[in-house]
Every structure is written in structure tokens, then in C-alpha cells.
PDB file of all heavy atoms in Angstrom:
ATOM      1  N   TYR A   1     -11.842  -4.918  13.938  1.00  0.00           N
ATOM      2  CA  TYR A   1     -10.734  -4.365  14.722  1.00  0.00           C
ATOM      3  C   TYR A   1      -9.482  -5.166  14.389  1.00  0.00           C
ATOM      4  O   TYR A   1      -9.365  -6.331  14.757  1.00  0.00           O
ATOM      5  CB  TYR A   1     -11.046  -4.453  16.217  1.00  0.00           C
ATOM      6  CG  TYR A   1     -12.234  -3.611  16.621  1.00  0.00           C
ATOM      7  CD1 TYR A   1     -13.528  -4.082  16.462  1.00  0.00           C
ATOM      8  CD2 TYR A   1     -12.058  -2.332  17.146  1.00  0.00           C
ATOM      9  CE1 TYR A   1     -14.626  -3.301  16.812  1.00  0.00           C
ATOM     10  CE2 TYR A   1     -13.140  -1.551  17.500  1.00  0.00           C
ATOM     11  CZ  TYR A   1     -14.416  -2.038  17.332  1.00  0.00           C
ATOM     12  OH  TYR A   1     -15.499  -1.253  17.676  1.00  0.00           O
ATOM     13  N   LEU A   2      -8.562  -4.545  13.663  1.00  0.00           N
ATOM     14  CA  LEU A   2      -7.396  -5.267  13.180  1.00  0.00           C
ATOM     15  C   LEU A   2      -6.099  -4.562  13.555  1.00  0.00           C
ATOM     16  O   LEU A   2      -5.955  -3.349  13.368  1.00  0.00           O
ATOM     17  CB  LEU A   2      -7.465  -5.424  11.658  1.00  0.00           C
ATOM     18  CG  LEU A   2      -8.586  -6.321  11.129  1.00  0.00           C
ATOM     19  CD1 LEU A   2      -8.631  -6.276   9.613  1.00  0.00           C
ATOM     20  CD2 LEU A   2      -8.406  -7.750  11.611  1.00  0.00           C
ATOM     21  N   GLY A   3      -5.169  -5.339  14.066  1.00  0.00           N
ATOM     22  CA  GLY A   3      -3.839  -4.829  14.346  1.00  0.00           C
ATOM     23  C   GLY A   3      -2.951  -5.026  13.138  1.00  0.00           C
ATOM     24  O   GLY A   3      -2.990  -6.075  12.487  1.00  0.00           O
ATOM     25  N   THR A   4      -2.168  -4.038  12.816  1.00  0.00           N
ATOM     26  CA  THR A   4      -1.278  -4.153  11.657  1.00  0.00           C
ATOM     27  C   THR A   4      -0.036  -3.302  11.886  1.00  0.00           C
ATOM     28  O   THR A   4      -0.002  -2.452  12.771  1.00  0.00           O
ATOM     29  CB  THR A   4      -1.999  -3.700  10.370  1.00  0.00           C
ATOM     30  OG1 THR A   4      -1.149  -3.928   9.240  1.00  0.00           O
ATOM     31  CG2 THR A   4      -2.336  -2.222  10.431  1.00  0.00           C
ATOM     32  N   MET A   5       0.965  -3.567  11.096  1.00  0.00           N
ATOM     33  CA  MET A   5       2.189  -2.766  11.144  1.00  0.00           C
ATOM     34  C   MET A   5       2.590  -2.430   9.716  1.00  0.00           C
ATOM     35  O   MET A   5       2.317  -3.195   8.791  1.00  0.00           O
ATOM     36  CB  MET A   5       3.316  -3.528  11.852  1.00  0.00           C
ATOM     37  CG  MET A   5       3.018  -3.827  13.316  1.00  0.00           C
ATOM     38  SD  MET A   5       4.278  -4.825  14.132  1.00  0.00           S
ATOM     39  CE  MET A   5       5.659  -3.688  14.150  1.00  0.00           C
ATOM     40  N   SER A   6       3.213  -1.288   9.548  1.00  0.00           N
ATOM     41  CA  SER A   6       3.615  -0.870   8.211  1.00  0.00           C
ATOM     42  C   SER A   6       4.679  -1.798   7.660  1.00  0.00           C
ATOM     43  O   SER A   6       5.436  -2.423   8.399  1.00  0.00           O
ATOM     44  CB  SER A   6       4.137   0.567   8.243  1.00  0.00           C
ATOM     45  OG  SER A   6       5.251   0.654   9.121  1.00  0.00           O
ATOM     46  N   SER A   7       4.706  -1.918   6.345  1.00  0.00           N
ATOM     47  CA  SER A   7       5.709  -2.760   5.694  1.00  0.00           C
ATOM     48  C   SER A   7       6.337  -1.974   4.551  1.00  0.00           C
ATOM     49  O   SER A   7       5.910  -0.868   4.219  1.00  0.00           O
ATOM     50  CB  SER A   7       5.066  -4.041   5.155  1.00  0.00           C
ATOM     51  OG  SER A   7       4.303  -3.760   3.989  1.00  0.00           O
ATOM     52  N   ASP A   8       7.339  -2.574   3.949  1.00  0.00           N
ATOM     53  CA  ASP A   8       8.007  -1.898   2.833  1.00  0.00           C
ATOM     54  C   ASP A   8       7.577  -2.487   1.496  1.00  0.00           C
ATOM     55  O   ASP A   8       8.277  -2.356   0.501  1.00  0.00           O
ATOM     56  CB  ASP A   8       9.534  -1.992   2.988  1.00  0.00           C
ATOM     57  CG  ASP A   8      10.013  -3.438   3.013  1.00  0.00           C
ATOM     58  OD1 ASP A   8       9.161  -4.346   3.001  1.00  0.00           O
ATOM     59  OD2 ASP A   8      11.236  -3.657   3.037  1.00  0.00           O
ATOM     60  N   TYR A   9       6.390  -3.118   1.476  1.00  0.00           N
ATOM     61  CA  TYR A   9       5.928  -3.743   0.238  1.00  0.00           C
ATOM     62  C   TYR A   9       5.847  -2.735  -0.902  1.00  0.00           C
ATOM     63  O   TYR A   9       6.235  -3.022  -2.028  1.00  0.00           O
ATOM     64  CB  TYR A   9       4.562  -4.403   0.444  1.00  0.00           C
ATOM     65  CG  TYR A   9       4.019  -5.065  -0.807  1.00  0.00           C
ATOM     66  CD1 TYR A   9       4.552  -6.266  -1.261  1.00  0.00           C
ATOM     67  CD2 TYR A   9       2.995  -4.483  -1.546  1.00  0.00           C
ATOM     68  CE1 TYR A   9       4.068  -6.870  -2.406  1.00  0.00           C
ATOM     69  CE2 TYR A   9       2.502  -5.077  -2.691  1.00  0.00           C
ATOM     70  CZ  TYR A   9       3.042  -6.274  -3.114  1.00  0.00           C
ATOM     71  OH  TYR A   9       2.564  -6.867  -4.269  1.00  0.00           O
ATOM     72  N   GLY A  10       5.335  -1.538  -0.596  1.00  0.00           N
ATOM     73  CA  GLY A  10       5.217  -0.532  -1.644  1.00  0.00           C
ATOM     74  C   GLY A  10       6.551  -0.139  -2.237  1.00  0.00           C
ATOM     75  O   GLY A  10       6.652   0.173  -3.426  1.00  0.00           O
ATOM     76  N   ASN A  11       7.610  -0.192  -1.414  1.00  0.00           N
ATOM     77  CA  ASN A  11       8.935   0.178  -1.907  1.00  0.00           C
ATOM     78  C   ASN A  11       9.509  -0.851  -2.869  1.00  0.00           C
ATOM     79  O   ASN A  11      10.424  -0.553  -3.638  1.00  0.00           O
ATOM     80  CB  ASN A  11       9.900   0.355  -0.732  1.00  0.00           C
ATOM     81  CG  ASN A  11       9.490   1.491   0.180  1.00  0.00           C
ATOM     82  OD1 ASN A  11       8.842   2.442  -0.260  1.00  0.00           O
ATOM     83  ND2 ASN A  11       9.842   1.392   1.454  1.00  0.00           N
ATOM     84  N   GLN A  12       8.967  -2.076  -2.800  1.00  0.00           N
ATOM     85  CA  GLN A  12       9.494  -3.132  -3.664  1.00  0.00           C
ATOM     86  C   GLN A  12       8.907  -3.076  -5.066  1.00  0.00           C
ATOM     87  O   GLN A  12       9.323  -3.837  -5.940  1.00  0.00           O
ATOM     88  CB  GLN A  12       9.174  -4.511  -3.047  1.00  0.00           C
ATOM     89  CG  GLN A  12       9.610  -4.666  -1.599  1.00  0.00           C
ATOM     90  CD  GLN A  12      11.074  -4.330  -1.394  1.00  0.00           C
ATOM     91  OE1 GLN A  12      11.928  -4.749  -2.160  1.00  0.00           O
ATOM     92  NE2 GLN A  12      11.360  -3.561  -0.358  1.00  0.00           N
ATOM     93  N   GLN A  13       7.957  -2.178  -5.282  1.00  0.00           N
ATOM     94  CA  GLN A  13       7.318  -2.105  -6.593  1.00  0.00           C
ATOM     95  C   GLN A  13       7.988  -1.085  -7.517  1.00  0.00           C
ATOM     96  O   GLN A  13       7.492  -0.811  -8.599  1.00  0.00           O
ATOM     97  CB  GLN A  13       5.835  -1.756  -6.426  1.00  0.00           C
ATOM     98  CG  GLN A  13       5.088  -2.784  -5.592  1.00  0.00           C
ATOM     99  CD  GLN A  13       3.617  -2.460  -5.494  1.00  0.00           C
ATOM    100  OE1 GLN A  13       2.907  -2.436  -6.490  1.00  0.00           O
ATOM    101  NE2 GLN A  13       3.146  -2.206  -4.279  1.00  0.00           N
ATOM    102  N   GLY A  14       9.110  -0.561  -7.067  1.00  0.00           N
ATOM    103  CA  GLY A  14       9.833   0.370  -7.918  1.00  0.00           C
ATOM    104  C   GLY A  14       9.310   1.783  -7.793  1.00  0.00           C
ATOM    105  O   GLY A  14       8.366   2.060  -7.069  1.00  0.00           O
ATOM    106  N   HIS A  15       9.902   2.671  -8.518  1.00  0.00           N
ATOM    107  CA  HIS A  15       9.539   4.091  -8.434  1.00  0.00           C
ATOM    108  C   HIS A  15       9.108   4.634  -9.795  1.00  0.00           C
ATOM    109  O   HIS A  15       9.222   5.806 -10.080  1.00  0.00           O
ATOM    110  CB  HIS A  15      10.726   4.894  -7.897  1.00  0.00           C
ATOM    111  CG  HIS A  15      11.165   4.452  -6.531  1.00  0.00           C
ATOM    112  ND1 HIS A  15      10.487   4.794  -5.386  1.00  0.00           N
ATOM    113  CD2 HIS A  15      12.193   3.660  -6.139  1.00  0.00           C
ATOM    114  CE1 HIS A  15      11.091   4.259  -4.331  1.00  0.00           C
ATOM    115  NE2 HIS A  15      12.120   3.562  -4.760  1.00  0.00           N
ATOM    116  N   ASP A  16       8.589   3.730 -10.638  1.00  0.00           N
ATOM    117  CA  ASP A  16       8.078   4.134 -11.935  1.00  0.00           C
ATOM    118  C   ASP A  16       6.826   4.984 -11.729  1.00  0.00           C
ATOM    119  O   ASP A  16       5.861   4.549 -11.103  1.00  0.00           O
ATOM    120  CB  ASP A  16       7.757   2.897 -12.775  1.00  0.00           C
ATOM    121  CG  ASP A  16       7.336   3.261 -14.197  1.00  0.00           C
ATOM    122  OD1 ASP A  16       7.242   4.469 -14.496  1.00  0.00           O
ATOM    123  OD2 ASP A  16       7.098   2.332 -14.994  1.00  0.00           O
ATOM    124  N   LEU A  17       6.839   6.196 -12.267  1.00  0.00           N
ATOM    125  CA  LEU A  17       5.698   7.085 -12.086  1.00  0.00           C
ATOM    126  C   LEU A  17       4.422   6.495 -12.660  1.00  0.00           C
ATOM    127  O   LEU A  17       3.322   6.760 -12.152  1.00  0.00           O
ATOM    128  CB  LEU A  17       5.984   8.446 -12.733  1.00  0.00           C
ATOM    129  CG  LEU A  17       7.053   9.305 -12.045  1.00  0.00           C
ATOM    130  CD1 LEU A  17       7.268  10.598 -12.826  1.00  0.00           C
ATOM    131  CD2 LEU A  17       6.645   9.627 -10.612  1.00  0.00           C
ATOM    132  N   ASP A  18       4.533   5.682 -13.703  1.00  0.00           N
ATOM    133  CA  ASP A  18       3.342   5.075 -14.301  1.00  0.00           C
ATOM    134  C   ASP A  18       2.665   4.103 -13.342  1.00  0.00           C
ATOM    135  O   ASP A  18       1.480   3.795 -13.480  1.00  0.00           O
ATOM    136  CB  ASP A  18       3.711   4.335 -15.597  1.00  0.00           C
ATOM    137  CG  ASP A  18       4.168   5.295 -16.684  1.00  0.00           C
ATOM    138  OD1 ASP A  18       3.746   6.471 -16.635  1.00  0.00           O
ATOM    139  OD2 ASP A  18       4.933   4.881 -17.572  1.00  0.00           O
ATOM    140  N   ALA A  19       3.433   3.588 -12.377  1.00  0.00           N
ATOM    141  CA  ALA A  19       2.882   2.609 -11.430  1.00  0.00           C
ATOM    142  C   ALA A  19       2.253   3.279 -10.215  1.00  0.00           C
ATOM    143  O   ALA A  19       1.573   2.620  -9.430  1.00  0.00           O
ATOM    144  CB  ALA A  19       3.973   1.650 -10.970  1.00  0.00           C
ATOM    145  N   LEU A  20       2.463   4.569 -10.063  1.00  0.00           N
ATOM    146  CA  LEU A  20       1.945   5.283  -8.890  1.00  0.00           C
ATOM    147  C   LEU A  20       0.511   5.747  -9.145  1.00  0.00           C
ATOM    148  O   LEU A  20       0.256   6.903  -9.484  1.00  0.00           O
ATOM    149  CB  LEU A  20       2.849   6.476  -8.563  1.00  0.00           C
ATOM    150  CG  LEU A  20       4.273   6.117  -8.146  1.00  0.00           C
ATOM    151  CD1 LEU A  20       5.078   7.378  -7.877  1.00  0.00           C
ATOM    152  CD2 LEU A  20       4.269   5.225  -6.900  1.00  0.00           C
ATOM    153  N   ASP A  21      -0.442   4.817  -9.005  1.00  0.00           N
ATOM    154  CA  ASP A  21      -1.844   5.168  -9.162  1.00  0.00           C
ATOM    155  C   ASP A  21      -2.546   5.097  -7.806  1.00  0.00           C
ATOM    156  O   ASP A  21      -1.920   4.914  -6.768  1.00  0.00           O
ATOM    157  CB  ASP A  21      -2.522   4.241 -10.176  1.00  0.00           C
ATOM    158  CG  ASP A  21      -2.337   2.765  -9.806  1.00  0.00           C
ATOM    159  OD1 ASP A  21      -2.075   2.482  -8.620  1.00  0.00           O
ATOM    160  OD2 ASP A  21      -2.459   1.916 -10.705  1.00  0.00           O
ATOM    161  N   GLY A  22      -3.850   5.240  -7.819  1.00  0.00           N
ATOM    162  CA  GLY A  22      -4.604   5.216  -6.569  1.00  0.00           C
ATOM    163  C   GLY A  22      -4.524   3.903  -5.835  1.00  0.00           C
ATOM    164  O   GLY A  22      -4.644   3.855  -4.606  1.00  0.00           O
ATOM    165  N   TYR A  23      -4.309   2.833  -6.573  1.00  0.00           N
ATOM    166  CA  TYR A  23      -4.225   1.515  -5.941  1.00  0.00           C
ATOM    167  C   TYR A  23      -2.997   1.400  -5.044  1.00  0.00           C
ATOM    168  O   TYR A  23      -3.017   0.701  -4.026  1.00  0.00           O
ATOM    169  CB  TYR A  23      -4.176   0.416  -6.997  1.00  0.00           C
ATOM    170  CG  TYR A  23      -5.437   0.280  -7.820  1.00  0.00           C
ATOM    171  CD1 TYR A  23      -5.380  -0.042  -9.167  1.00  0.00           C
ATOM    172  CD2 TYR A  23      -6.696   0.466  -7.238  1.00  0.00           C
ATOM    173  CE1 TYR A  23      -6.529  -0.183  -9.931  1.00  0.00           C
ATOM    174  CE2 TYR A  23      -7.846   0.344  -7.989  1.00  0.00           C
ATOM    175  CZ  TYR A  23      -7.762   0.004  -9.344  1.00  0.00           C
ATOM    176  OH  TYR A  23      -8.905  -0.119 -10.079  1.00  0.00           O
ATOM    177  N   VAL A  24      -1.927   2.049  -5.421  1.00  0.00           N
ATOM    178  CA  VAL A  24      -0.695   1.966  -4.636  1.00  0.00           C
ATOM    179  C   VAL A  24      -0.888   2.611  -3.268  1.00  0.00           C
ATOM    180  O   VAL A  24      -0.469   2.067  -2.241  1.00  0.00           O
ATOM    181  CB  VAL A  24       0.481   2.633  -5.387  1.00  0.00           C
ATOM    182  CG1 VAL A  24       1.717   2.693  -4.491  1.00  0.00           C
ATOM    183  CG2 VAL A  24       0.800   1.866  -6.660  1.00  0.00           C
ATOM    184  N   SER A  25      -1.538   3.761  -3.239  1.00  0.00           N
ATOM    185  CA  SER A  25      -1.713   4.466  -1.963  1.00  0.00           C
ATOM    186  C   SER A  25      -2.637   3.699  -1.025  1.00  0.00           C
ATOM    187  O   SER A  25      -2.330   3.521   0.156  1.00  0.00           O
ATOM    188  CB  SER A  25      -2.254   5.875  -2.210  1.00  0.00           C
ATOM    189  OG  SER A  25      -3.512   5.828  -2.878  1.00  0.00           O
ATOM    190  N   THR A  26      -3.784   3.231  -1.531  1.00  0.00           N
ATOM    191  CA  THR A  26      -4.708   2.493  -0.665  1.00  0.00           C
ATOM    192  C   THR A  26      -4.192   1.087  -0.367  1.00  0.00           C
ATOM    193  O   THR A  26      -4.456   0.536   0.706  1.00  0.00           O
ATOM    194  CB  THR A  26      -6.099   2.380  -1.310  1.00  0.00           C
ATOM    195  OG1 THR A  26      -5.983   1.746  -2.594  1.00  0.00           O
ATOM    196  CG2 THR A  26      -6.716   3.755  -1.477  1.00  0.00           C
ATOM    197  N   GLY A  27      -3.439   0.526  -1.304  1.00  0.00           N
ATOM    198  CA  GLY A  27      -2.947  -0.833  -1.115  1.00  0.00           C
ATOM    199  C   GLY A  27      -1.834  -0.942  -0.099  1.00  0.00           C
ATOM    200  O   GLY A  27      -1.560  -2.036   0.406  1.00  0.00           O
ATOM    201  N   ASN A  28      -1.185   0.176   0.211  1.00  0.00           N
ATOM    202  CA  ASN A  28      -0.051   0.135   1.128  1.00  0.00           C
ATOM    203  C   ASN A  28      -0.251   0.974   2.385  1.00  0.00           C
ATOM    204  O   ASN A  28       0.657   1.069   3.210  1.00  0.00           O
ATOM    205  CB  ASN A  28       1.208   0.605   0.400  1.00  0.00           C
ATOM    206  CG  ASN A  28       1.659  -0.382  -0.649  1.00  0.00           C
ATOM    207  OD1 ASN A  28       2.358  -1.342  -0.358  1.00  0.00           O
ATOM    208  ND2 ASN A  28       1.243  -0.174  -1.899  1.00  0.00           N
ATOM    209  N   ALA A  29      -1.430   1.537   2.546  1.00  0.00           N
ATOM    210  CA  ALA A  29      -1.739   2.285   3.769  1.00  0.00           C
ATOM    211  C   ALA A  29      -2.289   1.313   4.806  1.00  0.00           C
ATOM    212  O   ALA A  29      -3.330   0.691   4.591  1.00  0.00           O
ATOM    213  CB  ALA A  29      -2.752   3.386   3.480  1.00  0.00           C
ATOM    214  N   SER A  30      -1.585   1.169   5.915  1.00  0.00           N
ATOM    215  CA  SER A  30      -2.033   0.219   6.937  1.00  0.00           C
ATOM    216  C   SER A  30      -3.398   0.608   7.505  1.00  0.00           C
ATOM    217  O   SER A  30      -4.156  -0.246   7.953  1.00  0.00           O
ATOM    218  CB  SER A  30      -1.003   0.134   8.065  1.00  0.00           C
ATOM    219  OG  SER A  30      -0.793   1.413   8.660  1.00  0.00           O
ATOM    220  N   SER A  31      -3.727   1.893   7.459  1.00  0.00           N
ATOM    221  CA  SER A  31      -5.009   2.349   7.995  1.00  0.00           C
ATOM    222  C   SER A  31      -6.194   1.791   7.213  1.00  0.00           C
ATOM    223  O   SER A  31      -7.320   1.757   7.718  1.00  0.00           O
ATOM    224  CB  SER A  31      -5.066   3.881   7.973  1.00  0.00           C
ATOM    225  OG  SER A  31      -4.865   4.369   6.655  1.00  0.00           O
ATOM    226  N   VAL A  32      -5.941   1.339   5.994  1.00  0.00           N
ATOM    227  CA  VAL A  32      -7.017   0.876   5.119  1.00  0.00           C
ATOM    228  C   VAL A  32      -7.435  -0.563   5.433  1.00  0.00           C
ATOM    229  O   VAL A  32      -8.515  -1.001   5.047  1.00  0.00           O
ATOM    230  CB  VAL A  32      -6.568   0.992   3.634  1.00  0.00           C
ATOM    231  CG1 VAL A  32      -7.588   0.382   2.689  1.00  0.00           C
ATOM    232  CG2 VAL A  32      -6.338   2.455   3.272  1.00  0.00           C
ATOM    233  N   VAL A  33      -6.606  -1.302   6.162  1.00  0.00           N
ATOM    234  CA  VAL A  33      -6.821  -2.742   6.335  1.00  0.00           C
ATOM    235  C   VAL A  33      -8.218  -3.070   6.867  1.00  0.00           C
ATOM    236  O   VAL A  33      -8.928  -3.904   6.300  1.00  0.00           O
ATOM    237  CB  VAL A  33      -5.746  -3.345   7.259  1.00  0.00           C
ATOM    238  CG1 VAL A  33      -6.048  -4.802   7.549  1.00  0.00           C
ATOM    239  CG2 VAL A  33      -4.379  -3.212   6.630  1.00  0.00           C
ATOM    240  N   SER A  34      -8.628  -2.436   7.951  1.00  0.00           N
ATOM    241  CA  SER A  34      -9.944  -2.744   8.526  1.00  0.00           C
ATOM    242  C   SER A  34     -11.068  -2.300   7.598  1.00  0.00           C
ATOM    243  O   SER A  34     -12.076  -2.998   7.445  1.00  0.00           O
ATOM    244  CB  SER A  34     -10.098  -2.076   9.896  1.00  0.00           C
ATOM    245  OG  SER A  34      -9.930  -0.666   9.793  1.00  0.00           O
ATOM    246  N   GLY A  35     -10.902  -1.149   6.972  1.00  0.00           N
ATOM    247  CA  GLY A  35     -11.911  -0.657   6.046  1.00  0.00           C
ATOM    248  C   GLY A  35     -12.051  -1.553   4.831  1.00  0.00           C
ATOM    249  O   GLY A  35     -13.146  -1.689   4.271  1.00  0.00           O
ATOM    250  N   ARG A  36     -10.959  -2.166   4.418  1.00  0.00           N
ATOM    251  CA  ARG A  36     -10.988  -3.089   3.281  1.00  0.00           C
ATOM    252  C   ARG A  36     -11.929  -4.257   3.587  1.00  0.00           C
ATOM    253  O   ARG A  36     -12.729  -4.661   2.740  1.00  0.00           O
ATOM    254  CB  ARG A  36      -9.585  -3.603   3.001  1.00  0.00           C
ATOM    255  CG  ARG A  36      -9.479  -4.634   1.897  1.00  0.00           C
ATOM    256  CD  ARG A  36      -9.450  -4.051   0.523  1.00  0.00           C
ATOM    257  NE  ARG A  36      -8.212  -3.343   0.249  1.00  0.00           N
ATOM    258  CZ  ARG A  36      -7.939  -2.790  -0.949  1.00  0.00           C
ATOM    259  NH1 ARG A  36      -8.823  -2.853  -1.930  1.00  0.00           N
ATOM    260  NH2 ARG A  36      -6.803  -2.152  -1.147  1.00  0.00           N
TER     261      ARG A  36
END
């Protein structure tokens, strides 16, 4: 059971389409924290 808040970390990685893989979505979704 983990409390978390959204951050803008994903926005700091730029908007290069080559960088937008599956890791970006799971790595920046706060809902994933407990499941991780």
C-alpha cells in the first residue's frame, strides 16, 4: 500500500518519438508504483 503523487519526470525526457516506448508509460504512471 503506497501513497504517491504524479510528477513531471516524464516531461523532462524530451518528446523524441524514438524515446516513447513501453518503459516510458509504465515508468511514469503513478498507479504502477505498488505493482512494481
